[in-house]
């Protein structure tokens, strides 16, 4: 296997890790307006991902940086052709981070409600737009002989891409509902289970349609195997959450995400961006890769840094592994949101 093939696999792994981790916290963000019944329950949901959401986004930064360094032509064509959708995703991620940090800075209900609405919309839009973007990458776009995208924004909003966006939005929402059931206690946990079953069945229908379309259009034996794993894991995840086995359901929903993303990259290889104008103008792992020297240096750096990042992120999840519920959230009338209960006053001497 050549180094450019290795880096295609590594980039696929990075995107898979990003969608697995950021997928459930996008889903939790969507649930803040669809599952939570009041401000206290919204704070419970936000606190389930509060310690980890920013670490999850590191996978996106790493995937983008690896693409830029390993496949500069792919990066250039992708970010120029998909400029507006990717800009919208970037703005959403910036606003989402600000919303997490600023929501509890002031006690006024209107202030907090506005930031909570921002969390909802900036979770929903990227969850949809990532599906649109990756569906277009797999399907192919109008790339000319100069490796430049010649289409327009409306060309990206084709039926296949819109179905891909609906699929990722539903899948991430299901993933987030299962995560919520795994991380909470009480009534919100029960309602998260019930919602996960309903969303899971919708996700199954959308995923079969989208992945089946992909299989018919660009599939082979390997993609068919990945499709089967994704479908079976999703159905098993729905059954597990209906039985109250949140841990198994979250594991299986994660397998669904991994298998679905793997199928897309298997359908894409050896291309990185197919051309719909002429197959000879497609960007491939060969004609869009950096020099062997660059790829060699990157491989050594990745081998040294990746284990450290994985260990640190795994430790973070272990530290914040306990469940939470509304009983762990202070009443806004008694104390500022998301701050510890005040210590009893000491007697001055």
């Amino acid at each position: 296997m050549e180094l450019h093939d290795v880096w295609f696999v590594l980039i696929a792994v990075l995107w898979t890790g990003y969608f697995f981790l950021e997928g459930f916290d996008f889903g939790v963000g969507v649930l803040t307006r669809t599952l939570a019944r009041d401000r206290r329950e919204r704070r419970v949901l936000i606190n389930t991902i509060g310690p980890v959401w920013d670490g999850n986004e590191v996978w996106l930064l790493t995937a983008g940086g690896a693409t830029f360094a390993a496949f500069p032509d792919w990066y250039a064509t992708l970010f120029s052709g998909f400029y507006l959708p990717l800009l919208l995703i970037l703005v959403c991620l910036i606003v989402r981070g600000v919303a997490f940090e600023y929501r509890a800075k002031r006690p006024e209900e209107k202030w907090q409600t506005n930031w909570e609405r921002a969390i909802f919309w900036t979770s929903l839009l990227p969850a949809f737009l990532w599906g649109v973007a990756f569906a277009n990458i797999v399907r192919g776009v109008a790339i000319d002989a100069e490796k430049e995208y010649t289409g327009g924004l409306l060309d990206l909003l084709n039926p296949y891409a819109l179905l891909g966006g609906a699929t990722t939005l539903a899948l991430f929402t299901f993933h987030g509902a299962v995560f919520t059931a795994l991380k909470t206690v009480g009534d919100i946990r029960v309602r998260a289970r019930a919602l996960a079953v309903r969303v899971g069945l919708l996700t199954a229908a959308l995923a079969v349609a989208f992945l089946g379309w992909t299989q018919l259009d660009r599939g082979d034996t390997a993609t068919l195997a990945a499709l089967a794993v994704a479908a079976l894991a999703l159905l098993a995840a729905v059954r597990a959450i209906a039985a109250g086995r949140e841990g198994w359901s979250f594991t299986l929903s994660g397998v669904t995400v991994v298998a679905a993303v793997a199928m897309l990259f298997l359908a894409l290889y050896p291309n990185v961006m197919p051309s719909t104008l002429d197959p000879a103008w497609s960007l491939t792992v060969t004609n869009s890769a950096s020099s062997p020297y660059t790829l060699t240096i990157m491989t050594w750096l990745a081998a040294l840094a990746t284990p450290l990042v994985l260990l640190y992120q795994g430790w973070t999840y272990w530290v914040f592994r306990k469940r939470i519920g509304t009983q762990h959230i202070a009443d806004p009338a008694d104390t500022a949101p998301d701050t510890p209960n005040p210590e009893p006053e000491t007697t001055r001497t």
Side-chain angles (χ1 to χ4, degrees), residues 95 98-99 102-103 110-119:
V95 173
V98 172
Y102 275 65
R103 180 183 57 87
K110 184 177 180 181
W111 170 273
Q112 295 183 19
T113 299
N114 286 338
W115 285 120
E116 287 165 0
R117 289 196 182 108
I119 290 172

Side-chain angles (χ1 to χ4, degrees), residues 35 41 44-45 176-197 241 243-247 323-327:
L35 176 66
E41 289 192 352
V44 170
L45 292 177
V178 174
F179 180 79
T180 299
L182 181 65
K183 287 287 293 179
T184 58
V185 294
D187 183 58
I188 194 169
R189 177 186 179 188
V190 175
R191 285 188 280 113
R193 285 181 189 169
L195 181 62
V197 173
I241 194 65
R245 304 184 70 177
E246 295 105 340
R323 297 176 184 264
I324 63 172
T326 52
Q327 67 270 28

Side-chain angles (χ1 to χ4, degrees), residues 82-334:
F82 293 24
Y83 179 79
L84 287 177
L86 293 179
L87 177 62
L88 181 56
I89 290 174
L90 178 61
V91 171
C92 284
L93 294 180
I94 292 172
V95 173
R96 189 168 182 263
V98 172
F100 280 126
E101 299 297 334
Y102 275 65
R103 180 183 57 87
K105 296 299 183 184
R106 289 171 56 178
E108 293 88 348
E109 181 177 355
K110 184 177 180 181
W111 170 273
Q112 295 183 19
T113 299
N114 286 338
W115 285 120
E116 287 165 0
R117 289 196 182 108
I119 290 172
F120 168 76
W121 286 109
T122 56
S123 298
L124 185 149
L125 288 174
F128 175 77
L129 290 174
W130 279 127
V132 172
F134 269 82
N136 275 299
I137 292 173
V138 174
R139 171 181 174 269
V141 291
I143 300 174
D144 63 17
E146 303 299 322
K147 301 180 180 179
E148 295 182 0
Y149 175 68
T150 59
L153 177 62
L154 293 180
D155 295 324
L156 302 178
L157 302 178
N158 54 79
Y160 176 74
L162 294 175
L163 178 59
T167 302
T168 54
L169 175 57
L171 178 57
F172 292 166
T173 303
F174 171 71
H175 200 34
V178 174
F179 180 79
T180 299
L182 181 65
K183 287 287 293 179
T184 58
V185 294
D187 183 58
I188 194 169
R189 177 186 179 188
V190 175
R191 285 188 280 113
R193 285 181 189 169
L195 181 62
V197 173
R198 296 195 298 271
V199 175
L201 293 175
L202 173 62
T203 303
L206 291 171
V208 168
F210 174 65
L211 297 180
W213 190 340
T214 305
Q215 178 65 29
L216 291 174
D217 190 36
R218 294 185 173 274
D220 55 20
T221 304
T223 58
L224 181 60
L227 188 158
V229 171
L232 292 174
L234 180 56
L235 293 175
V238 174
R239 183 174 180 179
I241 194 65
R245 304 184 70 177
E246 295 105 340
W248 276 108
S249 183
F250 183 72
T251 301
L252 289 165
S253 68
V255 171
T256 303
V257 174
V258 171
V261 177
M263 180 185 177
L264 295 181
F265 276 94
L266 286 169
L268 185 60
Y269 183 82
N271 294 318
V272 293
M273 284 191 77
S275 173
T276 57
L277 301 179
D278 187 337
W281 296 343
S282 297
L283 299 182
T284 68
V285 294
T286 304
N287 67 19
S288 62
S290 295
S291 68
Y293 178 77
T294 300
L295 296 177
T296 301
I297 296 297
M298 289 175 60
T299 303
W300 280 106
L301 292 174
L304 293 172
T306 302
L308 298 176
V309 174
L310 293 176
L311 285 172
Y312 175 76
Q313 192 158 29
W315 176 79
T316 302
Y317 276 91
W318 175 256
V319 169
F320 296 101
R321 67 189 181 278
K322 292 185 178 180
R323 297 176 184 264
I324 63 172
T326 52
Q327 67 270 28
H328 300 115
I329 304 296
D331 192 318
D334 299 331

